[in-house]
Amino acid sequence: MRFKTLTEFIVEKQGEYPHATGGLTRLLNDIGIAAKFVNREVNRAGLGDVMGYVGEVNVQGEEQKKLDVYANNQFIAALKYGGECCAIGSEENEEIITFDSGVSMHGKYVVAMDPLDGSSNIESNVSIGTLFSIYLRRTVRGKATLEDFLQPGRNMVAAGYVLYGSSTVLVYSTGNGVNGFTLDPSVGLFILSHPDMKYPDGGNIYSINEASYNNFPEGVKKYINYCQEDDPATKRPYSTRYIGSMVADFHRNLVRGGIFMYPGTSKSLFGKLRLLYECNPVAFLAEQAGGKASDGFSRILDIQPTSLHQRAPLFVGPTSMVEKAEEFMKEYAPEFKPKH
Ligand code: AHM
Ligand code: MG
């Protein structure tokens, strides 16, 4: 049997989306190439001297790990030399990175990315991931600016993630469904393994860091109680699954049916996750897979960003589960409605 590769699939689909010219095809391909290099290093993480800190602190005040830096550099290089992307907004860089020379200065896309999400899990050999979202630049000429990134998620032309897990999977959407590709390490190719991904009916997993329970909004506490109630007709009590790597949690919930939540808390009203390169890509994929993504009150993809690294509460998963959580938020925690 002849399997379909990522490159073949992207080329085949390029005509199905108005923005998917050859440029977007090449850009997605560049991301696939960088992902393979990162995958190689992630797989060897316990072996060489790639582990540990480089002694720098990123914009979030977190220590950067060597693999964070490696992944960031790989994606920047692939996009810079690929020629389609004129600027990158990365979790690892306080300011946007603009390409103002060479082929990429004429690229019409900008990419917001988290090159290695969940990197605190590296030492314990737990799955980690890369998240990306792609927009058409807004400015017409010259260097790209922050304005090019401050677009609501609904403007996205493509988004996806790479999950470095028990196998490495690249999942993406150009706004026409969601497809997943598993890396076959023996040939170094991403092979179509999850065509047209949709949330299954009747999800029964909830994913949240319950250690923060005391600081959760009342609506989240009530929703957690709802998930734990006995009601066989609705498959309750649900199961809790929480890896602490959003890409892995989101992927499992997409395949198995479950809601992922990172709400605001009394200590941090906007939660932890960053809107542009963490919430938005999974929100886009969730909607494309028949699900929903909300800040507890409103659609994630409608939020007008005001800064590159801003945070947003996130409830993402099958539509019925997210709507149930929203019901509890609206009834019991209206004071947590974020003013983005
Ligand atoms: P990071 O970008 O610093 O890796 O943080 C994001 C990660 C997500 O992958 C994950 O869902 C979340 O942090 C876990 O946070 P917590 O440990 O507070 O539950
Ligand atoms: Mg992250």
Side-chain angles (χ1 to χ4, degrees):
M1 183 176 169
R2 174 70 168 83
F3 298 102
K4 196 170 284 177
T5 68
L6 174 65
T7 310
E8 289 165 357
F9 184 87
I10 295 173
V11 170
E12 183 186 303
K13 292 286 167 190
Q14 109 181 7
E16 291 182 13
Y17 188 75
H19 295 297
T21 60
L24 185 60
T25 298
R26 281 189 292 277
L27 179 49
L28 289 165
N29 224 17
D30 296 337
I31 289 173
I33 291 168
K36 285 188 221 173
F37 282 104
V38 174
N39 176 65
R40 186 190 61 190
E41 294 306 310
V42 168
N43 283 174
R44 301 193 314 191
L47 293 173
D49 62 350
V50 288
M51 289 181 74
Y53 300 103
V54 285
E56 288 177 17
V57 171
N58 72 6
V59 64
Q60 263 72 234
E62 299 150 347
E63 277 185 307
Q64 287 180 304
K65 308 270 174 77
K66 281 188 179 177
L67 269 175
D68 285 330
V69 176
Y70 180 84
N72 199 33
N73 291 341
Q74 282 299 326
F75 281 97
I76 292 170
L79 295 172
K80 178 173 180 181
Y81 298 115
E84 304 298 337
C85 164
C86 62
I88 295 173
S90 166
E91 178 175 351
E92 299 300 331
N93 299 88
E94 183 154 8
E95 310 287 345
I96 62 167
I97 300 159
T98 54
F99 303 136
D100 36 20
S101 62
V103 281
S104 291
M105 67 184 288
H106 303 297
K108 59 182 180 181
Y109 296 101
V110 298
V111 177
M113 66 172 186
D114 183 350
L116 210 57
D117 184 60
S119 53
S120 63
N121 283 318
I122 294 169
E123 275 84 356
S124 35
N125 220 337
V126 170
S127 303
I128 46 183
T130 296
L131 290 149
F132 60 90
S133 42
I134 302 173
Y135 296 83
L136 279 168
R137 68 179 293 186
R138 271 176 161 171
T139 50
V140 182
R141 60 179 72 82
K143 270 207 281 189
T145 67
L146 184 58
E147 191 199 330
D148 292 310
F149 289 87
L150 301 185
Q151 307 190 41
R154 62 172 182 267
N155 288 2
M156 235 177 282
V157 295
Y161 58 79
V162 186
L163 169 60
Y164 312 98
S166 46
S167 57
T168 293
V169 182
L170 187 152
V171 174
Y172 84 97
S173 173
T174 53
N176 196 8
V178 180
N179 291 281
F181 301 80
T182 302
L183 183 65
D184 180 341
S186 65
V187 285
L189 293 170
F190 281 105
I191 306 289
L192 179 62
S193 53
H194 297 67
D196 197 18
M197 299 174 83
K198 295 278 179 225
Y199 281 107
D201 290 334
N204 66 341
I205 294 172
Y206 73 102
S207 309
I208 189 166
N209 187 343
E210 253 175 280
S212 299
Y213 188 89
N214 288 341
N215 299 313
F216 282 156
E218 200 52 32
V220 171
K221 291 181 180 172
K222 286 268 197 303
Y223 181 66
I224 291 174
N225 294 346
Y226 169 87
C227 294
Q228 296 173 345
E229 276 166 16
D230 247 321
D231 181 30
T234 52
K235 291 198 193 165
R236 287 180 293 149
Y238 296 156
S239 287
T240 313
R241 294 286 183 273
Y242 191 74
I243 294 170
S245 272
M246 185 180 62
V247 176
D249 279 311
F250 178 82
H251 183 76
R252 182 208 48 247
N253 289 358
L254 174 56
V255 172
R256 302 267 310 279
I259 183 170
F260 173 88
M261 295 172 279
Y262 209 110
T265 65
S266 51
K267 289 190 173 162
S268 166
L269 280 180
F270 291 87
K272 174 183 184 187
L273 301 175
R274 292 68 163 193
L275 175 64
L276 265 71
Y277 42 79
E278 293 178 327
C279 302
N280 271 345
V282 295
F284 187 79
L285 293 165
E287 289 193 5
Q288 287 296 319
K292 189 165 177 169
S294 164
D295 64 5
F297 298 85
S298 313
R299 186 183 180 213
I300 289 286
L301 296 181
D302 282 341
I303 299 171
Q304 171 60 55
T306 51
S307 69
L308 189 60
H309 298 290
Q310 79 187 70
R311 299 172 196 264
L314 178 65
F315 299 75
V316 63
T319 301
S320 57
M321 296 182 94
V322 174
E323 286 181 348
K324 184 54 96 179
E326 279 182 323
E327 264 175 44
F328 282 105
M329 287 300 288
K330 287 174 186 168
E331 184 167 355
Y332 296 104
E335 73 281 14
F336 274 85
K337 186 173 168 51
K339 294 181 189 64
H340 297 284

